[in-house]
Amino acid sequence: MAYAVPKPTDYSKEALEKAFTECVAACLTDAAAVHCDAELKAFRDRWMARKSGILTQVNELWLKGAPKEAKGLAGFWVNALKARITEIIDGAHVSGDDSAGAAESVDITLPGVRRPIGAEHPVMRTMHEIVGVFQKLGYSVAEGPVVETDYYNFEALNFPPNHPARDTQDTLFIAGQQSKPQRERLLLRTHTSPVQIRTMEKMRPPIRIVIPGTVHRNDPPDASHSPMFHQIEGLAVDTSITFGDLKGTLDHAMKALFGSSVKTHFRPSFFPFTEPSAELYVTCFICGGSGRRGPDDAPCRPCKQTGWIEVLGCGMVDPNVFEFVKDNGYDPKKVSGFAFGMGVDRLALLKYGVDDLQYFFQGDVRFLQQFG
Ligand code: PHE
């Protein structure tokens, strides 16, 4: 039988409580009789409809119709009723549905819902692995801003204003900086090397740090370029650091990363902030250094058949760089150091045999799942 809201004649606590209980019981009975979506909607409307729903009627009859002195108590029961009815309605469902009475009957013997755990992105995984190798050697990790000033990205790294070496960096400049002095103008850092200076300004020698981070260059995206990529910088400064220390450290790191059979090889190069400068090559870990691979001796692509792969730039910190942080204990006559910088994305490409750098940045789950 359909429930009709009674008009209270008695506003005592007992009478109101009884009316409350009857109304809740009626609502529960009504909810249990819902068998399809249409009935569920009708049930909700019957109780909640603004104009003439049961709750509205309760409000009219119990509260508005209450004598002045009973309004407080009536209000209390009307509010309690609204809360309880809303609860029943929110939990109402088409019966026969599996979730029926879910709260009361959880089957704890069923297997739980498994949430897929994400996987570390291959570039991040490579980055952490490289950082880990240096941490074991006693290096700590430093970071710096991606939006950098001309001073840190260039000037303090011994790239004087207008020097042609700046052209090699394909810099993306932040717009609207012309009114500032050149050294304060903002740009997207083209390498992690500015954090060398930032760290030396903060920490006195000796230091050993690695600096992982993103960098930007004005390169259109293709299979081996991306306008955003990742680098890991290294810097060691002490009183008697030599090129031999640089060689030994990097040789050890390459063996730790690519296996103990890789050989390293240094070729002269140029960077304004290191002197002498070098590029480090490792024996190609795809073809083992022979330049050919597979049963039919196919030419090895990653090393362009040379048997060697370039992995980083490095060198001894140029004394001109120390001049910029001299006041913090870096007197170029007293300290020496080495620095290196490597492209993480390229190493991840080689390590995982991926043939297009763009896969790393497109977020395609089919690609990323393979690293899970
Ligand atoms: N910053 C250089 C680059 O991005 C790499 C480098 C770092 C070279 C440290 C020497 C020393 O090309």
Side-chain angles (χ1 to χ4, degrees), residues 145-156 159 161 166 171-189 198:
V146 176
V147 178
E148 191 48 283
T149 58
D150 184 284
Y151 177 77
Y152 287 108
N153 198 76
F154 290 126
E155 195 179 331
F159 290 82
R166 290 181 173 219
T171 313
L172 291 161
F173 294 94
I174 306 282
Q177 302 286 304
Q178 284 71 11
S179 60
K180 294 182 183 168
Q182 176 153 10
R183 53 165 54 189
E184 286 169 28
R185 292 185 196 164
L186 298 175
L187 44 83
L188 294 180
R189 68 174 178 196
R198 286 186 175 273

PDB file of all heavy atoms in Angstrom, residues 145-156 159 161 166 171-189 198:
ATOM      1  N   PRO A 145      67.267  25.110 -12.304  1.00  0.00           N
ATOM      2  CA  PRO A 145      66.075  25.491 -13.083  1.00  0.00           C
ATOM      3  C   PRO A 145      66.218  25.210 -14.579  1.00  0.00           C
ATOM      4  O   PRO A 145      67.324  25.253 -15.123  1.00  0.00           O
ATOM      5  CB  PRO A 145      65.965  26.994 -12.837  1.00  0.00           C
ATOM      6  CG  PRO A 145      67.342  27.430 -12.514  1.00  0.00           C
ATOM      7  CD  PRO A 145      68.022  26.284 -11.825  1.00  0.00           C
ATOM      8  N   VAL A 146      65.073  24.935 -15.208  1.00  0.00           N
ATOM      9  CA  VAL A 146      65.048  24.694 -16.660  1.00  0.00           C
ATOM     10  C   VAL A 146      65.017  26.034 -17.398  1.00  0.00           C
ATOM     11  O   VAL A 146      65.632  26.206 -18.440  1.00  0.00           O
ATOM     12  CB  VAL A 146      63.821  23.820 -17.038  1.00  0.00           C
ATOM     13  CG1 VAL A 146      63.728  23.652 -18.544  1.00  0.00           C
ATOM     14  CG2 VAL A 146      63.914  22.463 -16.355  1.00  0.00           C
ATOM     15  N   VAL A 147      64.291  27.013 -16.822  1.00  0.00           N
ATOM     16  CA  VAL A 147      64.330  28.366 -17.390  1.00  0.00           C
ATOM     17  C   VAL A 147      65.512  29.052 -16.715  1.00  0.00           C
ATOM     18  O   VAL A 147      65.535  29.232 -15.498  1.00  0.00           O
ATOM     19  CB  VAL A 147      63.020  29.135 -17.104  1.00  0.00           C
ATOM     20  CG1 VAL A 147      63.106  30.550 -17.650  1.00  0.00           C
ATOM     21  CG2 VAL A 147      61.837  28.390 -17.710  1.00  0.00           C
ATOM     22  N   GLU A 148      66.514  29.370 -17.519  1.00  0.00           N
ATOM     23  CA  GLU A 148      67.809  29.774 -16.983  1.00  0.00           C
ATOM     24  C   GLU A 148      68.173  31.161 -17.509  1.00  0.00           C
ATOM     25  O   GLU A 148      67.573  31.638 -18.474  1.00  0.00           O
ATOM     26  CB  GLU A 148      68.819  28.686 -17.439  1.00  0.00           C
ATOM     27  CG  GLU A 148      70.164  28.712 -16.838  1.00  0.00           C
ATOM     28  CD  GLU A 148      70.180  28.840 -15.316  1.00  0.00           C
ATOM     29  OE1 GLU A 148      69.957  29.955 -14.850  1.00  0.00           O
ATOM     30  OE2 GLU A 148      70.457  27.855 -14.610  1.00  0.00           O
ATOM     31  N   THR A 149      69.128  31.800 -16.860  1.00  0.00           N
ATOM     32  CA  THR A 149      69.577  33.100 -17.389  1.00  0.00           C
ATOM     33  C   THR A 149      70.747  32.885 -18.342  1.00  0.00           C
ATOM     34  O   THR A 149      71.447  31.868 -18.283  1.00  0.00           O
ATOM     35  CB  THR A 149      70.066  34.031 -16.259  1.00  0.00           C
ATOM     36  OG1 THR A 149      71.131  33.372 -15.575  1.00  0.00           O
ATOM     37  CG2 THR A 149      68.954  34.360 -15.281  1.00  0.00           C
ATOM     38  N   ASP A 150      70.956  33.875 -19.183  1.00  0.00           N
ATOM     39  CA  ASP A 150      72.078  33.855 -20.117  1.00  0.00           C
ATOM     40  C   ASP A 150      73.389  33.683 -19.335  1.00  0.00           C
ATOM     41  O   ASP A 150      74.302  32.975 -19.759  1.00  0.00           O
ATOM     42  CB  ASP A 150      72.066  35.182 -20.903  1.00  0.00           C
ATOM     43  CG  ASP A 150      73.127  35.249 -21.969  1.00  0.00           C
ATOM     44  OD1 ASP A 150      74.303  35.449 -21.606  1.00  0.00           O
ATOM     45  OD2 ASP A 150      72.788  35.081 -23.151  1.00  0.00           O
ATOM     46  N   TYR A 151      73.446  34.290 -18.150  1.00  0.00           N
ATOM     47  CA  TYR A 151      74.665  34.228 -17.349  1.00  0.00           C
ATOM     48  C   TYR A 151      75.061  32.788 -17.033  1.00  0.00           C
ATOM     49  O   TYR A 151      76.198  32.378 -17.262  1.00  0.00           O
ATOM     50  CB  TYR A 151      74.484  35.019 -16.045  1.00  0.00           C
ATOM     51  CG  TYR A 151      75.682  34.932 -15.134  1.00  0.00           C
ATOM     52  CD1 TYR A 151      76.828  35.670 -15.395  1.00  0.00           C
ATOM     53  CD2 TYR A 151      75.667  34.089 -14.005  1.00  0.00           C
ATOM     54  CE1 TYR A 151      77.944  35.586 -14.565  1.00  0.00           C
ATOM     55  CE2 TYR A 151      76.776  34.008 -13.170  1.00  0.00           C
ATOM     56  CZ  TYR A 151      77.914  34.748 -13.461  1.00  0.00           C
ATOM     57  OH  TYR A 151      79.004  34.652 -12.648  1.00  0.00           O
ATOM     58  N   TYR A 152      74.122  32.010 -16.503  1.00  0.00           N
ATOM     59  CA  TYR A 152      74.472  30.645 -16.105  1.00  0.00           C
ATOM     60  C   TYR A 152      74.606  29.694 -17.290  1.00  0.00           C
ATOM     61  O   TYR A 152      75.428  28.789 -17.284  1.00  0.00           O
ATOM     62  CB  TYR A 152      73.423  30.091 -15.123  1.00  0.00           C
ATOM     63  CG  TYR A 152      73.514  30.699 -13.754  1.00  0.00           C
ATOM     64  CD1 TYR A 152      72.572  31.585 -13.299  1.00  0.00           C
ATOM     65  CD2 TYR A 152      74.587  30.387 -12.925  1.00  0.00           C
ATOM     66  CE1 TYR A 152      72.660  32.155 -12.033  1.00  0.00           C
ATOM     67  CE2 TYR A 152      74.695  30.956 -11.654  1.00  0.00           C
ATOM     68  CZ  TYR A 152      73.726  31.834 -11.220  1.00  0.00           C
ATOM     69  OH  TYR A 152      73.839  32.389  -9.974  1.00  0.00           O
ATOM     70  N   ASN A 153      73.752  29.895 -18.303  1.00  0.00           N
ATOM     71  CA  ASN A 153      73.800  28.958 -19.426  1.00  0.00           C
ATOM     72  C   ASN A 153      75.035  29.200 -20.300  1.00  0.00           C
ATOM     73  O   ASN A 153      75.562  28.271 -20.900  1.00  0.00           O
ATOM     74  CB  ASN A 153      72.535  29.082 -20.278  1.00  0.00           C
ATOM     75  CG  ASN A 153      72.312  27.868 -21.185  1.00  0.00           C
ATOM     76  OD1 ASN A 153      71.892  26.814 -20.738  1.00  0.00           O
ATOM     77  ND2 ASN A 153      72.640  28.013 -22.461  1.00  0.00           N
ATOM     78  N   PHE A 154      75.464  30.480 -20.354  1.00  0.00           N
ATOM     79  CA  PHE A 154      76.560  30.812 -21.272  1.00  0.00           C
ATOM     80  C   PHE A 154      77.731  31.527 -20.605  1.00  0.00           C
ATOM     81  O   PHE A 154      78.839  31.000 -20.556  1.00  0.00           O
ATOM     82  CB  PHE A 154      76.038  31.691 -22.421  1.00  0.00           C
ATOM     83  CG  PHE A 154      75.141  30.945 -23.392  1.00  0.00           C
ATOM     84  CD1 PHE A 154      73.876  31.426 -23.676  1.00  0.00           C
ATOM     85  CD2 PHE A 154      75.581  29.789 -24.023  1.00  0.00           C
ATOM     86  CE1 PHE A 154      73.055  30.752 -24.581  1.00  0.00           C
ATOM     87  CE2 PHE A 154      74.766  29.112 -24.922  1.00  0.00           C
ATOM     88  CZ  PHE A 154      73.501  29.599 -25.205  1.00  0.00           C
ATOM     89  N   GLU A 155      77.457  32.742 -20.099  1.00  0.00           N
ATOM     90  CA  GLU A 155      78.573  33.618 -19.724  1.00  0.00           C
ATOM     91  C   GLU A 155      79.520  32.987 -18.706  1.00  0.00           C
ATOM     92  O   GLU A 155      80.730  32.941 -18.921  1.00  0.00           O
ATOM     93  CB  GLU A 155      78.023  34.949 -19.191  1.00  0.00           C
ATOM     94  CG  GLU A 155      79.106  36.006 -19.134  1.00  0.00           C
ATOM     95  CD  GLU A 155      78.575  37.340 -18.624  1.00  0.00           C
ATOM     96  OE1 GLU A 155      77.375  37.630 -18.824  1.00  0.00           O
ATOM     97  OE2 GLU A 155      79.385  38.073 -18.009  1.00  0.00           O
ATOM     98  N   ALA A 156      78.945  32.445 -17.622  1.00  0.00           N
ATOM     99  CA  ALA A 156      79.803  31.883 -16.568  1.00  0.00           C
ATOM    100  C   ALA A 156      80.420  30.553 -17.005  1.00  0.00           C
ATOM    101  O   ALA A 156      81.275  30.006 -16.312  1.00  0.00           O
ATOM    102  CB  ALA A 156      79.000  31.707 -15.280  1.00  0.00           C
ATOM    103  N   PHE A 159      81.313  31.170 -22.332  1.00  0.00           N
ATOM    104  CA  PHE A 159      80.843  31.530 -23.681  1.00  0.00           C
ATOM    105  C   PHE A 159      80.648  33.052 -23.623  1.00  0.00           C
ATOM    106  O   PHE A 159      79.628  33.520 -23.110  1.00  0.00           O
ATOM    107  CB  PHE A 159      79.442  30.995 -23.968  1.00  0.00           C
ATOM    108  CG  PHE A 159      79.242  29.513 -24.154  1.00  0.00           C
ATOM    109  CD1 PHE A 159      79.119  28.658 -23.058  1.00  0.00           C
ATOM    110  CD2 PHE A 159      79.068  28.989 -25.433  1.00  0.00           C
ATOM    111  CE1 PHE A 159      78.841  27.307 -23.232  1.00  0.00           C
ATOM    112  CE2 PHE A 159      78.783  27.627 -25.601  1.00  0.00           C
ATOM    113  CZ  PHE A 159      78.674  26.792 -24.519  1.00  0.00           C
ATOM    114  N   PRO A 161      79.651  36.930 -24.572  1.00  0.00           N
ATOM    115  CA  PRO A 161      78.552  37.415 -25.423  1.00  0.00           C
ATOM    116  C   PRO A 161      79.003  37.449 -26.882  1.00  0.00           C
ATOM    117  O   PRO A 161      80.150  37.819 -27.160  1.00  0.00           O
ATOM    118  CB  PRO A 161      78.295  38.836 -24.899  1.00  0.00           C
ATOM    119  CG  PRO A 161      78.803  38.824 -23.505  1.00  0.00           C
ATOM    120  CD  PRO A 161      79.944  37.848 -23.475  1.00  0.00           C
ATOM    121  N   ARG A 166      78.340  29.925 -29.081  1.00  0.00           N
ATOM    122  CA  ARG A 166      76.926  29.925 -28.680  1.00  0.00           C
ATOM    123  C   ARG A 166      76.031  29.359 -29.786  1.00  0.00           C
ATOM    124  O   ARG A 166      74.961  28.847 -29.511  1.00  0.00           O
ATOM    125  CB  ARG A 166      76.462  31.345 -28.360  1.00  0.00           C
ATOM    126  CG  ARG A 166      77.080  31.889 -27.086  1.00  0.00           C
ATOM    127  CD  ARG A 166      76.563  33.277 -26.811  1.00  0.00           C
ATOM    128  NE  ARG A 166      77.022  33.723 -25.500  1.00  0.00           N
ATOM    129  CZ  ARG A 166      76.280  34.416 -24.652  1.00  0.00           C
ATOM    130  NH1 ARG A 166      75.059  34.771 -24.982  1.00  0.00           N
ATOM    131  NH2 ARG A 166      76.756  34.775 -23.490  1.00  0.00           N
ATOM    132  N   THR A 171      69.682  27.661 -29.222  1.00  0.00           N
ATOM    133  CA  THR A 171      68.948  28.071 -28.024  1.00  0.00           C
ATOM    134  C   THR A 171      67.524  28.546 -28.297  1.00  0.00           C
ATOM    135  O   THR A 171      67.279  29.250 -29.278  1.00  0.00           O
ATOM    136  CB  THR A 171      69.732  29.210 -27.353  1.00  0.00           C
ATOM    137  OG1 THR A 171      71.095  28.823 -27.301  1.00  0.00           O
ATOM    138  CG2 THR A 171      69.216  29.513 -25.964  1.00  0.00           C
ATOM    139  N   LEU A 172      66.615  28.163 -27.408  1.00  0.00           N
ATOM    140  CA  LEU A 172      65.248  28.700 -27.428  1.00  0.00           C
ATOM    141  C   LEU A 172      65.207  29.815 -26.387  1.00  0.00           C
ATOM    142  O   LEU A 172      65.384  29.558 -25.187  1.00  0.00           O
ATOM    143  CB  LEU A 172      64.233  27.607 -27.085  1.00  0.00           C
ATOM    144  CG  LEU A 172      64.066  26.519 -28.155  1.00  0.00           C
ATOM    145  CD1 LEU A 172      63.430  25.268 -27.559  1.00  0.00           C
ATOM    146  CD2 LEU A 172      63.236  27.023 -29.318  1.00  0.00           C
ATOM    147  N   PHE A 173      65.015  31.047 -26.843  1.00  0.00           N
ATOM    148  CA  PHE A 173      65.005  32.192 -25.932  1.00  0.00           C
ATOM    149  C   PHE A 173      63.583  32.507 -25.494  1.00  0.00           C
ATOM    150  O   PHE A 173      62.637  32.315 -26.245  1.00  0.00           O
ATOM    151  CB  PHE A 173      65.606  33.419 -26.631  1.00  0.00           C
ATOM    152  CG  PHE A 173      67.070  33.248 -26.950  1.00  0.00           C
ATOM    153  CD1 PHE A 173      67.475  32.780 -28.203  1.00  0.00           C
ATOM    154  CD2 PHE A 173      68.048  33.537 -26.007  1.00  0.00           C
ATOM    155  CE1 PHE A 173      68.822  32.608 -28.498  1.00  0.00           C
ATOM    156  CE2 PHE A 173      69.390  33.380 -26.295  1.00  0.00           C
ATOM    157  CZ  PHE A 173      69.782  32.907 -27.538  1.00  0.00           C
ATOM    158  N   ILE A 174      63.458  33.017 -24.280  1.00  0.00           N
ATOM    159  CA  ILE A 174      62.145  33.470 -23.796  1.00  0.00           C
ATOM    160  C   ILE A 174      61.902  34.862 -24.400  1.00  0.00           C
ATOM    161  O   ILE A 174      62.818  35.698 -24.407  1.00  0.00           O
ATOM    162  CB  ILE A 174      62.135  33.561 -22.247  1.00  0.00           C
ATOM    163  CG1 ILE A 174      62.565  32.231 -21.604  1.00  0.00           C
ATOM    164  CG2 ILE A 174      60.785  34.049 -21.727  1.00  0.00           C
ATOM    165  CD1 ILE A 174      61.538  31.138 -21.557  1.00  0.00           C
ATOM    166  N   ALA A 175      60.687  35.079 -24.888  1.00  0.00           N
ATOM    167  CA  ALA A 175      60.378  36.348 -25.562  1.00  0.00           C
ATOM    168  C   ALA A 175      60.333  37.517 -24.579  1.00  0.00           C
ATOM    169  O   ALA A 175      60.161  37.323 -23.373  1.00  0.00           O
ATOM    170  CB  ALA A 175      59.040  36.227 -26.288  1.00  0.00           C
ATOM    171  N   GLY A 176      60.497  38.700 -25.095  1.00  0.00           N
ATOM    172  CA  GLY A 176      60.287  39.928 -24.327  1.00  0.00           C
ATOM    173  C   GLY A 176      61.353  40.220 -23.289  1.00  0.00           C
ATOM    174  O   GLY A 176      61.059  40.804 -22.247  1.00  0.00           O
ATOM    175  N   GLN A 177      62.607  39.837 -23.541  1.00  0.00           N
ATOM    176  CA  GLN A 177      63.667  40.027 -22.538  1.00  0.00           C
ATOM    177  C   GLN A 177      64.622  41.155 -22.922  1.00  0.00           C
ATOM    178  O   GLN A 177      65.597  41.408 -22.209  1.00  0.00           O
ATOM    179  CB  GLN A 177      64.488  38.719 -22.411  1.00  0.00           C
ATOM    180  CG  GLN A 177      63.669  37.500 -22.037  1.00  0.00           C
ATOM    181  CD  GLN A 177      63.262  37.522 -20.594  1.00  0.00           C
ATOM    182  OE1 GLN A 177      64.083  37.621 -19.704  1.00  0.00           O
ATOM    183  NE2 GLN A 177      61.961  37.493 -20.371  1.00  0.00           N
ATOM    184  N   GLN A 178      64.323  41.818 -24.076  1.00  0.00           N
ATOM    185  CA  GLN A 178      65.295  42.776 -24.620  1.00  0.00           C
ATOM    186  C   GLN A 178      65.615  43.933 -23.688  1.00  0.00           C
ATOM    187  O   GLN A 178      66.714  44.473 -23.734  1.00  0.00           O
ATOM    188  CB  GLN A 178      64.806  43.352 -25.968  1.00  0.00           C
ATOM    189  CG  GLN A 178      64.953  42.404 -27.149  1.00  0.00           C
ATOM    190  CD  GLN A 178      63.956  41.234 -27.093  1.00  0.00           C
ATOM    191  OE1 GLN A 178      63.031  41.251 -26.286  1.00  0.00           O
ATOM    192  NE2 GLN A 178      64.165  40.230 -27.934  1.00  0.00           N
ATOM    193  N   SER A 179      64.680  44.281 -22.820  1.00  0.00           N
ATOM    194  CA  SER A 179      64.946  45.442 -21.966  1.00  0.00           C
ATOM    195  C   SER A 179      65.917  45.119 -20.836  1.00  0.00           C
ATOM    196  O   SER A 179      66.434  46.011 -20.178  1.00  0.00           O
ATOM    197  CB  SER A 179      63.623  45.955 -21.392  1.00  0.00           C
ATOM    198  OG  SER A 179      63.042  44.909 -20.647  1.00  0.00           O
ATOM    199  N   LYS A 180      66.191  43.827 -20.619  1.00  0.00           N
ATOM    200  CA  LYS A 180      67.106  43.467 -19.523  1.00  0.00           C
ATOM    201  C   LYS A 180      68.551  43.436 -20.016  1.00  0.00           C
ATOM    202  O   LYS A 180      68.800  43.201 -21.195  1.00  0.00           O
ATOM    203  CB  LYS A 180      66.774  42.049 -19.031  1.00  0.00           C
ATOM    204  CG  LYS A 180      65.434  41.904 -18.377  1.00  0.00           C
ATOM    205  CD  LYS A 180      65.285  40.466 -17.912  1.00  0.00           C
ATOM    206  CE  LYS A 180      63.931  40.211 -17.309  1.00  0.00           C
ATOM    207  NZ  LYS A 180      63.694  38.782 -17.139  1.00  0.00           N
ATOM    208  N   PRO A 181      69.516  43.599 -19.097  1.00  0.00           N
ATOM    209  CA  PRO A 181      70.916  43.383 -19.493  1.00  0.00           C
ATOM    210  C   PRO A 181      71.073  41.948 -19.981  1.00  0.00           C
ATOM    211  O   PRO A 181      70.383  41.046 -19.479  1.00  0.00           O
ATOM    212  CB  PRO A 181      71.697  43.594 -18.190  1.00  0.00           C
ATOM    213  CG  PRO A 181      70.727  44.082 -17.175  1.00  0.00           C
ATOM    214  CD  PRO A 181      69.353  43.922 -17.694  1.00  0.00           C
ATOM    215  N   GLN A 182      71.967  41.719 -20.931  1.00  0.00           N
ATOM    216  CA  GLN A 182      72.054  40.403 -21.568  1.00  0.00           C
ATOM    217  C   GLN A 182      72.178  39.240 -20.581  1.00  0.00           C
ATOM    218  O   GLN A 182      71.517  38.231 -20.710  1.00  0.00           O
ATOM    219  CB  GLN A 182      73.240  40.354 -22.531  1.00  0.00           C
ATOM    220  CG  GLN A 182      73.400  38.957 -23.126  1.00  0.00           C
ATOM    221  CD  GLN A 182      74.068  38.951 -24.482  1.00  0.00           C
ATOM    222  OE1 GLN A 182      74.599  39.961 -24.939  1.00  0.00           O
ATOM    223  NE2 GLN A 182      74.051  37.816 -25.139  1.00  0.00           N
ATOM    224  N   ARG A 183      72.978  39.420 -19.530  1.00  0.00           N
ATOM    225  CA  ARG A 183      73.221  38.285 -18.622  1.00  0.00           C
ATOM    226  C   ARG A 183      71.991  37.874 -17.820  1.00  0.00           C
ATOM    227  O   ARG A 183      71.914  36.766 -17.307  1.00  0.00           O
ATOM    228  CB  ARG A 183      74.389  38.588 -17.684  1.00  0.00           C
ATOM    229  CG  ARG A 183      74.219  39.903 -16.949  1.00  0.00           C
ATOM    230  CD  ARG A 183      75.177  40.009 -15.795  1.00  0.00           C
ATOM    231  NE  ARG A 183      76.562  39.804 -16.196  1.00  0.00           N
ATOM    232  CZ  ARG A 183      77.558  39.686 -15.336  1.00  0.00           C
ATOM    233  NH1 ARG A 183      77.307  39.719 -14.035  1.00  0.00           N
ATOM    234  NH2 ARG A 183      78.788  39.527 -15.747  1.00  0.00           N
ATOM    235  N   GLU A 184      70.996  38.771 -17.746  1.00  0.00           N
ATOM    236  CA  GLU A 184      69.776  38.437 -17.002  1.00  0.00           C
ATOM    237  C   GLU A 184      68.668  37.892 -17.887  1.00  0.00           C
ATOM    238  O   GLU A 184      67.615  37.504 -17.407  1.00  0.00           O
ATOM    239  CB  GLU A 184      69.243  39.694 -16.295  1.00  0.00           C
ATOM    240  CG  GLU A 184      70.069  40.068 -15.097  1.00  0.00           C
ATOM    241  CD  GLU A 184      69.695  41.439 -14.566  1.00  0.00           C
ATOM    242  OE1 GLU A 184      68.541  41.864 -14.733  1.00  0.00           O
ATOM    243  OE2 GLU A 184      70.607  42.086 -14.007  1.00  0.00           O
ATOM    244  N   ARG A 185      68.880  37.902 -19.201  1.00  0.00           N
ATOM    245  CA  ARG A 185      67.810  37.454 -20.103  1.00  0.00           C
ATOM    246  C   ARG A 185      67.561  35.958 -19.945  1.00  0.00           C
ATOM    247  O   ARG A 185      68.498  35.176 -19.769  1.00  0.00           O
ATOM    248  CB  ARG A 185      68.181  37.769 -21.552  1.00  0.00           C
ATOM    249  CG  ARG A 185      68.194  39.262 -21.782  1.00  0.00           C
ATOM    250  CD  ARG A 185      68.429  39.599 -23.248  1.00  0.00           C
ATOM    251  NE  ARG A 185      68.796  41.012 -23.327  1.00  0.00           N
ATOM    252  CZ  ARG A 185      69.351  41.589 -24.370  1.00  0.00           C
ATOM    253  NH1 ARG A 185      69.613  40.865 -25.452  1.00  0.00           N
ATOM    254  NH2 ARG A 185      69.639  42.865 -24.344  1.00  0.00           N
ATOM    255  N   LEU A 186      66.296  35.588 -20.031  1.00  0.00           N
ATOM    256  CA  LEU A 186      65.922  34.196 -19.784  1.00  0.00           C
ATOM    257  C   LEU A 186      65.899  33.365 -21.066  1.00  0.00           C
ATOM    258  O   LEU A 186      65.601  33.871 -22.147  1.00  0.00           O
ATOM    259  CB  LEU A 186      64.536  34.126 -19.126  1.00  0.00           C
ATOM    260  CG  LEU A 186      64.437  34.815 -17.762  1.00  0.00           C
ATOM    261  CD1 LEU A 186      62.996  34.800 -17.269  1.00  0.00           C
ATOM    262  CD2 LEU A 186      65.343  34.122 -16.746  1.00  0.00           C
ATOM    263  N   LEU A 187      66.203  32.092 -20.908  1.00  0.00           N
ATOM    264  CA  LEU A 187      66.177  31.158 -22.024  1.00  0.00           C
ATOM    265  C   LEU A 187      65.886  29.774 -21.442  1.00  0.00           C
ATOM    266  O   LEU A 187      65.884  29.588 -20.225  1.00  0.00           O
ATOM    267  CB  LEU A 187      67.522  31.190 -22.758  1.00  0.00           C
ATOM    268  CG  LEU A 187      68.789  31.198 -21.907  1.00  0.00           C
ATOM    269  CD1 LEU A 187      69.181  29.799 -21.470  1.00  0.00           C
ATOM    270  CD2 LEU A 187      69.933  31.795 -22.703  1.00  0.00           C
ATOM    271  N   LEU A 188      65.612  28.819 -22.322  1.00  0.00           N
ATOM    272  CA  LEU A 188      65.483  27.439 -21.835  1.00  0.00           C
ATOM    273  C   LEU A 188      66.881  26.861 -21.848  1.00  0.00           C
ATOM    274  O   LEU A 188      67.569  26.926 -22.879  1.00  0.00           O
ATOM    275  CB  LEU A 188      64.557  26.643 -22.758  1.00  0.00           C
ATOM    276  CG  LEU A 188      63.103  27.107 -22.759  1.00  0.00           C
ATOM    277  CD1 LEU A 188      62.265  26.260 -23.713  1.00  0.00           C
ATOM    278  CD2 LEU A 188      62.514  27.031 -21.349  1.00  0.00           C
ATOM    279  N   ARG A 189      67.329  26.337 -20.722  1.00  0.00           N
ATOM    280  CA  ARG A 189      68.723  25.880 -20.672  1.00  0.00           C
ATOM    281  C   ARG A 189      68.961  24.845 -21.765  1.00  0.00           C
ATOM    282  O   ARG A 189      68.118  23.993 -22.032  1.00  0.00           O
ATOM    283  CB  ARG A 189      69.081  25.331 -19.295  1.00  0.00           C
ATOM    284  CG  ARG A 189      68.372  24.042 -18.945  1.00  0.00           C
ATOM    285  CD  ARG A 189      68.898  23.484 -17.617  1.00  0.00           C
ATOM    286  NE  ARG A 189      68.171  22.280 -17.269  1.00  0.00           N
ATOM    287  CZ  ARG A 189      68.166  21.725 -16.063  1.00  0.00           C
ATOM    288  NH1 ARG A 189      68.861  22.262 -15.079  1.00  0.00           N
ATOM    289  NH2 ARG A 189      67.492  20.627 -15.843  1.00  0.00           N
ATOM    290  N   ARG A 198      75.918  27.009 -10.527  1.00  0.00           N
ATOM    291  CA  ARG A 198      74.983  27.196  -9.413  1.00  0.00           C
ATOM    292  C   ARG A 198      75.428  26.397  -8.180  1.00  0.00           C
ATOM    293  O   ARG A 198      75.315  26.867  -7.054  1.00  0.00           O
ATOM    294  CB  ARG A 198      73.576  26.767  -9.822  1.00  0.00           C
ATOM    295  CG  ARG A 198      72.919  27.760 -10.764  1.00  0.00           C
ATOM    296  CD  ARG A 198      71.485  27.377 -11.042  1.00  0.00           C
ATOM    297  NE  ARG A 198      70.829  28.380 -11.848  1.00  0.00           N
ATOM    298  CZ  ARG A 198      70.226  29.459 -11.358  1.00  0.00           C
ATOM    299  NH1 ARG A 198      70.189  29.679 -10.057  1.00  0.00           N
ATOM    300  NH2 ARG A 198      69.671  30.331 -12.161  1.00  0.00           N
TER     301      ARG A 198
END
